[in-house]
């Protein structure tokens, strides 16, 4: 295994021969020992430019206009979420970030919407303030989700399953896109705030196609009684995306693929020596259908690797984590 984040090529897996495909699968599984991997994709840079440009327009609105796009009752899964709300489960201090959240929904009569009404929300996007943003962010969702779906085929093979394993689980899943603005740290209130405290994502996989500044750090070794945790900067090659794994995939893989622990921290610029800027990033959290039972795949359970997790419904696990990270609106701890 490795404690480095490796660079693989999704297109080589899809277009290569059996040897090339196997090499990509092996590289992905080795890299995911960290919970992270870099990959080349066919995402359009123009599409990303358009999305990031419009999102910057939104975050530059005055606070009253941004607050108008808060979506009550969605627990941070739609609309705008302001500063000092989301809080890492490992921290009592809120993150110094603001967010815009969106994703697809299903029709009113769909059985998943009837069973999980708090999981599927109508989109709340600031079209009135940023004309054209709905179409651009819808395309962003579709293109990035296609990348995630295709990459999960590699992971399925790496776990000894059929490469189409995740296809059924992703149909109508509540996939969430989140645009994040991290303001300058000099503007934060007096407290030991970070842009985002150390955490693991809840979902199957997360893709980050671009960030405007550095700051994302990956934990390659956990702390012990004798040693501190080891954190490394995530620095993908130009034109690559970062993919990391979440708690749901850790459960389904029987711990073979761990959750990717990470944080986002503002750091002094090595040239200027006193950088105090802001950072923009847009991530997509890939969730299975809410009624998916998250239990170890049969291919991962052997006499040497007995089942580590009991089954739990994906919707229940997500509700638990949303509570822990302070997004349940009537149960906030800070």
């Amino acid at each position: 295994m490795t404690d480095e984040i490796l660079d693989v090529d999704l297109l080589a897996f899809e277009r290569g021969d059996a040897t090339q495909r196997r090499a990509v699968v092996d590289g992905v599984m080795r890299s995911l020992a960290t919970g992270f991997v870099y990959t080349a994709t066919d995402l359009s840079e123009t599409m990303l430019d358009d999305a990031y440009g419009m999102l910057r327009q939104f975050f530059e609105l005055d606070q009253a206009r941004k607050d108008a796009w808060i979506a009550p009752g969605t627990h941070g899964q739609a609309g705008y979420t302001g500063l000092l709300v989301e809080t890492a489960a490992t921290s009592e201090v809120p993150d110094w970030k603001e967010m815009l959240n969106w994703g697809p929904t299903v029709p009113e009569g769909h059985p998943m919407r009837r069973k999980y009404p708090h999981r599927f929300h109508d989109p709340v996007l600031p079209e009135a303030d940023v004309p054209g943003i709905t179409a651009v962010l819808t395309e962003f969702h579709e293109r990035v989700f296609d990348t995630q779906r295709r990459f999960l085929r590699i992971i399925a093979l790496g776990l000894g399953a059929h490469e189409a394993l995740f296809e059924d689980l992703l149909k109508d899943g509540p996939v969430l896109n989140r645009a994040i603005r991290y303001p300058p740290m000099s503007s934060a209130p007096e407290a030991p705030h970070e842009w985002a405290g150390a955490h693991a994502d809840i979902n199957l996989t997360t893709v980050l196609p671009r960030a405007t500044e550095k700051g994302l750090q990956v934990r390659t070794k956990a702390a012990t009684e004798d040693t501190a945790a080891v954190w490394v900067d995530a620095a993908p090659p130009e034109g690559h995306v970062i993919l990391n794994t979440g708690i749901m995939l850790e459960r389904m893989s029987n711990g073979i693929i761990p959750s990717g622990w990470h944080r986002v921290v503002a750091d002094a610029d090595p040239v200027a020596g006193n950088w105090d800027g802001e950072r923009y990033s847009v991530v997509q959290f890939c969730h299975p259908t809410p009624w998916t039972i998250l239990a170890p795949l049969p291919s991962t359970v052997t006499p040497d690797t007995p089942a580590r997790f009991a089954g739990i419904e994906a919707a229940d696990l997500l509700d638990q984590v949303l509570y822990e990270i302070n997004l349940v609106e009537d149960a906030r701890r800070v």
Side-chain angles (χ1 to χ4, degrees), residues 305-324:
T305 57
R308 180 177 163 189
F309 301 101
I312 183 173
E313 195 173 82
D316 292 337
L317 188 60
L318 180 56
D319 283 343
Q320 175 186 331
V321 174
L322 290 178
Y323 170 78
E324 291 173 350

Side-chain angles (χ1 to χ4, degrees), residues 22 25 29 153-163 165 256 297-300:
R22 185 71 249 170
V25 173
M29 295 303 291
R153 288 180 165 268
I154 302 173
I155 292 175
L157 289 175
L159 293 173
H162 191 284
E163 67 178 283
L165 169 74
I256 291 172
L297 297 171
S299 60
T300 68

